[in-house]
Amino acid sequence: MKLQSLVLLAFVFAVLITIFAVVNVDTVPVNFVFGTADWPLILVILVSALMGFLLSGSVALAKIYSLQKDKKAAQKGKPVKPKKNASAS
């Protein structure tokens, strides 16, 4: 049930981003380090949302991989190194 609610929430969020992007179709200047280009705002919004999705997804996959690695090591009886918590310092 938790997964279904997360999928529904993601779908609603994607629809809201899409509606917001479709409403904003004006051309805007986009400043890059090496120059400037005029892009439709709809592309800027959608590309930004896609980059945010890919970045957060890659961080989540790295965390899942790390947890699976620790779980396999614990199942084999090997000691798992304690992770340093950034908020503890």
Side-chain angles (χ1 to χ4, degrees):
M1 194 66 164
K2 184 178 177 181
L3 181 62
Q4 289 175 344
S5 61
L6 286 175
V7 170
L8 181 64
L9 183 64
F11 180 73
V12 168
F13 190 63
V15 168
L16 289 175
I17 289 175
T18 304
I19 291 171
F20 181 72
V22 169
V23 171
N24 293 293
V25 293
D26 296 335
T27 302
V28 294
V30 179
N31 295 317
F32 298 103
V33 175
F34 51 84
T36 304
D38 289 333
W39 282 17
L41 188 55
I42 187 172
L43 286 180
V44 174
I45 293 169
L46 292 177
V47 168
S48 298
L50 179 64
M51 288 174 60
F53 171 75
L54 292 175
L55 180 64
S56 62
S58 63
V59 169
L61 285 175
K63 182 67 175 177
I64 289 170
Y65 175 75
S66 173
L67 290 173
Q68 286 177 344
K69 184 178 168 185
D70 290 347
K71 181 181 174 184
K72 286 180 183 178
Q75 286 175 346
K76 290 183 179 180
K78 295 180 181 177
V80 178
K81 295 181 195 175
K83 304 267 193 269
K84 289 186 179 181
N85 191 351
S87 62
S89 43

